[in-house]
Amino acid sequence: MALPCWTFAAALVVLGCPEALEAFEGDDGSSCSPGRADTDCHARAGSAYFWPMQKGNAARTGLSPYAMPSISQGPSWHWQDDHNDVIRSTPLIDGELNVYLTTVAGRIYKFSPEGKILWTYDSGDRGSIPGVPALLDGVLFALTTSGFVLALDMDSGSERWAVQVAPRSGFDTPCMFAANNTLVFAVVDPVPALFQVGAQSEREIKSNKVVALSAADGSLRWRFTPDTFLFNFQAASPGDGTLVFQDQAGGLYRLAVDDGRKIWRAGRLERAEFSTGASVVHDGMVFAVSNVADTGLLHAYDLETGELLWQQTLGHPANQAVAVGHLAGSPEGEASVVLGIGDNPGLPIIARLYQQMHWLPGFVAYPLHLMSLAFPKLFSKKQPRAIVAFSARTGALRWWYELEAFHYPAAAGESERLLDRLAAMGNGTNPKNDPLCLPDSCAQPVLDSAGTVFVPFQDGKIYAIRDDDADGIINPATEVSTFDVGDGFQASLALAPSTQEACMSSDLSVPKIRSPNSSELLCPPTLYRAFKPYGAAAVALVGLMMLSAADGARGTVLLVLMRLMVILFVLTLLMELIVLFDDHLILTVLIVLMMPRTLLVLMVPSPARRPSGALPVADTMVPMDEDTTILPGLSQVGDCEDLQPLPPQKRPRPHPRSVREEGGILLEQAPKRRLFDQ
């Protein structure tokens, strides 16, 4: 059944970490209005584009002057990356609703409002692009890991100019700042000696220099060295010829855009602290997010003086910047700050294994990898997370919404895609890609004009929250909506209006996503969509090895442990087979029916070990007729006491069973039964 069409709509572009791009459409909202972050609206109105950089404007508030549709309706169009690239960049939207998307592997795409690819660009040997570009005056500006700044014509995708300003840039997610014919970004210069001697990996390098270029020709304007390293650099400007940025410890800097002159230094001074948060500017205030002893800290400063105005200690780590604007349920004319908090997800199990044990053979690590996909809670601990809102002016709590704890080893999509990406990097088909996205617990939030906050998290879900009844308590049944993209997020969403007609069918609430191999998958993706057919063979091989080890094991405790391991491997194997044969109903039914029988065979205990010298009656009590031969080499004639052995020279080879005589009866002790003897 088709839903009604809208002749004027608003589009929300969603980007999952790995390889998907989706656009949502719905009713149009109002434009800029008094009391709703007027400075942000003016900043938007002064731009020729709807979402030209990370967080939508130079102040990085994340506020759009348009109301967004309900995300539960699902996407109006979807694009799947054939290259399986990692994507950490937010989509950028120009004034004609074209969408620009950048991947870590150095590919840049331009999409039409309907999702058609208009042009593509590859950075070639100039390096990867893990950060977020920016749009300015008809040009897309991007920074590569080799220290190149690229200027691409937005109409054609051709290079206008490219200049190398540093030997390297960080492999984190830095954001390009572009305003007033000036580009500001962070690089690595000089390159750390530890990296040059091989004691530090490429992904451990952090930026240590801020650089400004002319947007016209790439000529250098100034350089600035902060007190400590930079991570996920993101400069913000109130539009007065100055900019503010944050270092990894939570320290703040305000510089003049024209010459890089430092106006003030404020914020946290402890160099040992670390956060991937960033600063945001709004209404004469600067908001920073950092961590102190693994606890998040939100602090606000006066833009003119750098004086601390207020701060709030958060219950969970904080690693993303805030969004600032009017929230539903808040007093009219009062702005709020909102952010997501929580522990960052870890590495996939197979990555952790090789990080600690480089020698581990693949036939051991791979089945454990499959088991972590099938039983993720056995390999992880609960990671609490929440979305919180405060008064921008006073820091008073607006509301606090605690989400269900994240209970997986890594962010959604990381473990499932890791091996394919590693293989493509190793065989040279996608060498500039990154095997992992490594997102934070959540992406930076964004706000629409209706006061709805959108926060994507590491579980692959987008959470849309609005306190409609203004009671300061978020009701998950009526005030929270979600959409499961299936992959974790690093960059924020992009918001824009739409003038195209938008029609949706009702089944898009659970959209079908077409993967690169043309097989249809329901979103969220299944745990096993990245599995290969040899997965079942690997599990079976290790299962047989475990059986062999258990076969000769001694001791009850060890036997029990071996049995449990075999059961887990069999369960994983059966689940893998079900996935492999999911198109064949009969095979799937047979596998499911075999599962109880398989587990029963494994769980039935082997015969109890008999006391020394004792055997079952059927094996030991031999009828004693007069002429009965008991065993080769022994005979009985008459009474038992007349039993005579053969002469020594004719005694046959000893029988494999041990025999002894007790009370005139020959007792025969069988060999010890092994674990799986029938």
Side-chain angles (χ1 to χ4, degrees):
M1 181 181 71
L3 296 178
C5 296
W6 297 277
T7 57
F8 193 77
L12 179 149
V13 180
V14 176
L15 178 63
C17 222
E19 52 176 44
L21 179 65
E22 296 173 358
F24 296 74
E25 297 181 2
D27 294 318
D28 173 54
S30 61
S31 59
C32 303
S33 60
R36 293 195 176 181
D38 290 342
T39 56
D40 302 319
C41 287
H42 294 320
R44 227 303 298 152
S47 171
Y49 313 122
F50 291 110
W51 210 262
M53 62 186 75
Q54 173 92 310
K55 301 292 286 295
N57 52 55
R60 311 287 189 176
T61 59
L63 176 66
S64 170
Y66 303 95
M68 293 299 113
S70 171
I71 59 175
S72 60
Q73 296 177 9
S76 60
W77 60 267
H78 175 97
W79 172 77
Q80 191 82 22
D81 179 22
D82 293 341
H83 300 285
N84 200 19
D85 288 353
V86 169
I87 302 173
R88 301 197 187 111
S89 173
T90 188
L92 306 178
I93 307 174
D94 65 18
E96 298 177 353
L97 297 176
N98 299 308
V99 178
Y100 302 80
L101 178 65
T102 305
T103 76
V104 170
R107 280 178 270 266
I108 302 176
Y109 302 87
K110 179 181 180 179
F111 297 87
S112 71
E114 297 80 20
K116 178 183 177 181
I117 295 180
L118 301 179
W119 55 255
T120 61
Y121 171 86
D122 193 313
S123 61
D125 58 1
R126 293 193 176 104
S128 304
I129 308 178
V132 184
L135 306 179
L136 180 67
D137 298 334
V139 183
L140 182 148
F141 298 97
L143 174 67
T144 76
T145 53
S146 297
F148 281 90
V149 175
L150 309 174
L152 307 182
D153 186 274
M154 290 170 52
D155 291 330
S156 64
S158 60
E159 283 188 12
R160 289 195 179 183
W161 53 261
V163 58
Q164 187 175 22
V165 296
R168 298 201 61 85
S169 70
F171 219 94
D172 50 346
T173 310
C175 299
M176 178 71 72
F177 174 88
N180 299 326
N181 195 36
T182 303
L183 309 177
V184 181
F185 49 92
V187 296
V188 180
D189 189 15
V191 177
L194 291 177
F195 170 74
Q196 293 178 308
V197 299
Q200 191 178 43
S201 71
E202 181 181 46
R203 288 159 183 80
E204 293 176 305
I205 299 177
K206 298 176 182 178
S207 299
N208 52 18
K209 193 86 65 179
V210 179
V211 179
L213 300 182
S214 167
D217 55 10
S219 59
L220 179 66
R221 291 200 167 178
W222 50 261
R223 291 173 177 258
F224 177 81
T225 302
D227 296 339
T228 188
F229 295 107
L230 307 168
F231 202 87
N232 290 358
F233 176 82
Q234 179 175 290
S237 173
D240 62 352
T242 68
L243 60 84
V244 179
F245 67 89
Q246 175 180 321
D247 62 32
Q248 69 172 15
L252 289 173
Y253 306 80
R254 188 184 185 198
L255 308 181
V257 175
D258 56 354
D259 58 6
R261 173 175 43 88
K262 183 170 69 173
I263 300 173
W264 51 253
R265 161 73 162 90
R268 308 296 299 179
L269 301 176
E270 297 83 351
R271 294 182 53 149
E273 296 175 359
F274 179 79
S275 172
T276 60
S279 57
V280 172
V281 178
H282 169 79
D283 196 18
M285 300 177 64
V286 180
F287 302 93
V289 175
S290 60
N291 291 308
V292 179
D294 296 327
T295 298
L297 185 68
L298 171 61
H299 31 126
Y301 300 84
D302 182 87
L303 175 63
E304 290 299 322
T305 64
E307 177 187 0
L308 178 66
L309 299 176
W310 58 262
Q311 65 181 17
Q312 282 278 11
T313 301
L314 309 172
H316 308 312
N319 290 291
Q320 286 288 18
V322 303
V324 189
H326 180 266
L327 287 177
S330 300
E332 191 67 25
E334 292 189 16
S336 301
V337 294
V338 59
L339 74 158
I341 54 177
D343 290 321
N344 286 346
L347 294 172
I349 290 302
I350 193 169
R352 298 186 201 179
L353 288 173
Y354 281 113
Q355 192 177 49
Q356 302 296 328
M357 297 176 286
H358 302 283
W359 47 266
L360 195 67
F363 65 81
V364 174
Y366 185 66
L368 291 174
H369 170 67
L370 298 184
M371 289 177 63
S372 71
L373 294 175
F375 312 104
K377 290 180 173 59
L378 296 179
F379 295 84
S380 61
K381 64 179 181 179
K382 291 184 177 180
Q383 296 175 308
R385 55 206 179 117
I387 303 173
V388 294
F390 301 91
S391 166
R393 182 57 53 190
T394 66
L397 180 68
R398 298 275 197 218
W399 47 256
W400 182 298
Y401 180 63
E402 194 80 20
L403 282 71
E404 180 184 359
F406 185 70
H407 203 175
Y408 291 84
E414 291 278 76
S415 299
E416 293 86 345
R417 304 178 190 276
L418 172 61
L419 297 184
D420 282 345
R421 286 179 175 146
L422 284 173
M425 294 173 66
N427 60 28
T429 58
N430 201 4
K432 294 188 298 180
N433 198 20
D434 200 352
L436 293 170
C437 179
L438 295 177
D440 297 311
S441 61
C442 63
Q444 296 188 47
V446 294
L447 292 166
D448 71 356
S449 65
T452 304
V453 57
F454 301 91
V455 191
F457 268 84
Q458 77 266 56
D459 57 1
K461 294 181 180 179
I462 306 167
Y463 295 83
I465 300 178
R466 47 182 299 113
D467 186 15
D468 285 318
D469 55 13
D471 63 351
I473 300 174
I474 302 300
N475 186 334
T478 60
E479 297 177 330
V480 179
S481 58
T482 63
F483 179 77
D484 195 337
V485 177
D487 294 288
F489 288 82
Q490 174 61 30
S492 66
L493 310 183
L495 313 181
S498 173
T499 55
Q500 68 181 66
E501 196 169 273
C503 298
M504 292 186 181
S505 60
S506 58
D507 64 354
L508 282 178
S509 59
V510 185
K512 287 186 176 181
I513 296 176
R514 187 167 297 277
S515 66
N517 61 6
S518 296
S519 63
E520 285 191 351
L521 299 167
L522 286 179
C523 185
T526 64
L527 283 175
Y528 298 96
R529 70 181 184 180
F531 278 15
K532 294 298 183 183
Y534 53 76
V539 174
L541 176 61
V542 176
L544 291 175
M545 294 178 60
M546 297 299 298
L547 286 173
S548 177
D551 203 36
R554 299 178 180 273
T556 304
V557 176
L558 185 56
L559 289 175
V560 171
L561 291 177
M562 288 295 186
R563 283 184 182 278
L564 290 176
M565 289 296 295
V566 171
I567 290 171
L568 289 178
F569 274 106
V570 170
L571 284 173
T572 306
L573 173 61
L574 291 176
M575 294 179 71
E576 172 75 359
L577 291 174
I578 289 174
V579 173
L580 291 176
F581 299 119
D582 60 355
D583 293 331
H584 305 280
L585 180 61
I586 296 178
L587 287 175
T588 302
V589 172
L590 289 176
I591 291 172
V592 173
L593 292 177
M594 288 170 53
M595 186 179 297
R597 171 61 180 167
T598 304
L599 295 179
L600 181 64
V601 171
L602 290 173
M603 296 179 68
V604 170
S606 53
R609 196 171 288 176
R610 306 181 184 94
S612 178
L615 287 175
V617 174
D619 291 339
T620 60
M621 302 304 294
V622 182
M624 293 299 181
D625 295 336
E626 287 187 355
D627 297 324
T628 299
T629 300
I630 307 300
L631 285 175
L634 296 173
S635 62
Q636 177 186 357
V637 180
D639 296 331
C640 291
E641 58 269 16
D642 297 329
L643 183 65
Q644 299 293 331
L646 293 175
Q649 65 275 17
K650 297 182 180 180
R651 185 175 299 168
R653 186 176 302 169
H655 194 272
R657 295 172 177 258
S658 59
V659 179
R660 61 190 179 87
E661 179 183 353
E662 287 188 8
I665 300 177
L666 291 179
L667 298 178
E668 178 182 6
Q669 183 175 356
K672 296 177 181 177
R673 286 179 179 253
R674 295 184 295 177
L675 181 61
F676 293 96
D677 284 346
Q678 300 296 323

